[in-house]
Amino acid sequence: MKIVVIGGTGLIGSKLVERLREDGHEPLAASPDTGVNTLTGDGLAEALEGARVVVDVANAPVWDDAAVLDFFQTSSQNILAAEAAAGVRHHVTLSVVGADRLPESGYLRAKLAQEETVKTGSVPYTILRATQFFEFIGRIADSSIDGDTVRLAPVLVQPESADDVADALADVAVSDPVNGIVELAGPEQFRLDELARRVLRANNDPRPVTADVHARYFGTELDDNSLTPGSSARITPTRFEDWLSRSAAG
């Protein structure tokens, strides 16, 4: 089965393409690097020809509020129009747990707008909302620098590995559309500041991490329920320490 992966050359997309190929499908990685531009629509019709499923894991190249909103809305509109013309039967979008709870965040407002665009389209869909990836905790720390100190809210998070997210997307892609939202999370909860402290320590990064209840996360303050999944979330298998050990060995 031909499955087009929008953003198929990125962290999640490249892993997903590999999983789908191993499972005997015909994945096509669609990104600007492969001649497909979802913002302009260039190359979309050709890429989607003969596809049964499209999985959108692309991220915005620029994250200021107006640009990120335009990217997710315009790209989704272009993808959905091309899918309808090509007869695609299932659209899968990767989103973020908590996107609907944090309206002060321009990035998460844009992800929610992307979800709404998908919901109102004509193509059957599944939205997979994932928690933070282990691989991105260091970037979260980098974006939370105040002088020489990393300031993060000590809120609960339930992170997961990029490999597990790719596995879940591969499963969702070949399943029937749910025309709704599925949440995905890791098997353990942590305080965000402590998790960042452990990742930095493992990378021999000496920057101190300070717990600050008013520290902003992508433009918004958080509480303990902002980033955690609901009780019906699918739970991924990889534990943080196992991922960290493999990451250090690699």
Side-chain angles (χ1 to χ4, degrees):
M1 177 168 59
K2 181 177 178 181
I3 302 174
V4 176
V5 181
I6 307 292
T9 58
L11 172 67
I12 300 297
S14 59
K15 291 177 181 293
L16 175 57
V17 166
E18 181 181 349
R19 299 296 192 283
L20 293 170
R21 186 171 290 118
E22 289 172 352
D23 290 343
H25 299 291
E26 301 173 30
L28 187 151
S31 73
D33 291 339
T34 63
V36 179
N37 188 321
T38 58
L39 199 55
T40 65
D42 291 344
L44 261 178
E46 295 82 1
L48 268 57
E49 185 176 352
R52 294 273 300 276
V53 179
V54 173
V55 184
D56 183 6
V57 298
N59 211 346
V62 181
W63 283 23
D64 68 81
D65 287 1
V68 74
L69 179 61
D70 178 63
F71 175 83
F72 283 123
Q73 283 188 318
T74 302
S75 293
S76 294
Q77 290 165 359
N78 289 339
I79 294 166
L80 290 165
E83 288 175 356
V88 170
R89 300 182 184 181
H90 189 184
H91 175 94
V92 180
T93 291
L94 179 62
S95 192
V96 183
V97 166
D100 55 336
R101 302 176 214 147
L102 298 168
E104 290 185 16
S105 168
Y107 180 80
L108 295 176
R109 280 200 309 273
K111 290 300 290 183
L112 192 60
Q114 180 189 33
E115 292 184 8
E116 292 304 316
T117 302
V118 170
K119 290 177 183 178
T120 58
S122 62
V123 180
Y125 69 91
T126 302
I127 295 167
L128 184 70
R129 284 183 179 170
T131 56
Q132 295 71 31
F133 310 153
F134 296 143
E135 290 83 355
F136 285 171
I137 299 301
R139 297 188 196 180
I140 292 172
D142 291 341
S143 70
S144 304
I145 286 290
D146 180 14
D148 295 326
T149 300
V150 176
R151 293 190 178 276
L152 289 169
V155 298
L156 290 173
V157 292
Q158 200 166 327
E160 56 199 321
S161 75
D163 282 327
D164 286 346
V165 175
D167 287 344
L169 283 166
D171 179 61
V172 167
V174 299
S175 300
D176 291 336
V178 302
N179 292 316
I181 294 168
V182 177
E183 288 192 325
L184 187 73
E188 306 165 287
Q189 287 192 339
F190 303 89
R191 296 288 172 182
L192 180 58
D193 61 310
E194 177 56 26
L195 185 66
R197 200 172 288 118
R198 291 168 70 175
V199 169
L200 294 185
R201 187 183 306 126
N203 291 328
N204 297 313
D205 188 327
R207 290 177 294 176
V209 178
T210 297
D212 180 350
V213 294
H214 298 296
R216 289 186 170 260
Y217 176 88
F218 295 111
T220 186
E221 291 192 7
L222 302 172
D223 62 37
D224 253 0
N225 298 315
S226 295
L227 302 176
T228 54
S231 58
S232 60
R234 290 177 56 165
I235 302 301
T236 59
T238 304
R239 302 175 71 85
F240 173 68
E241 284 297 337
D242 295 332
W243 171 82
L244 194 62
S245 298
R246 291 201 297 267
S247 179

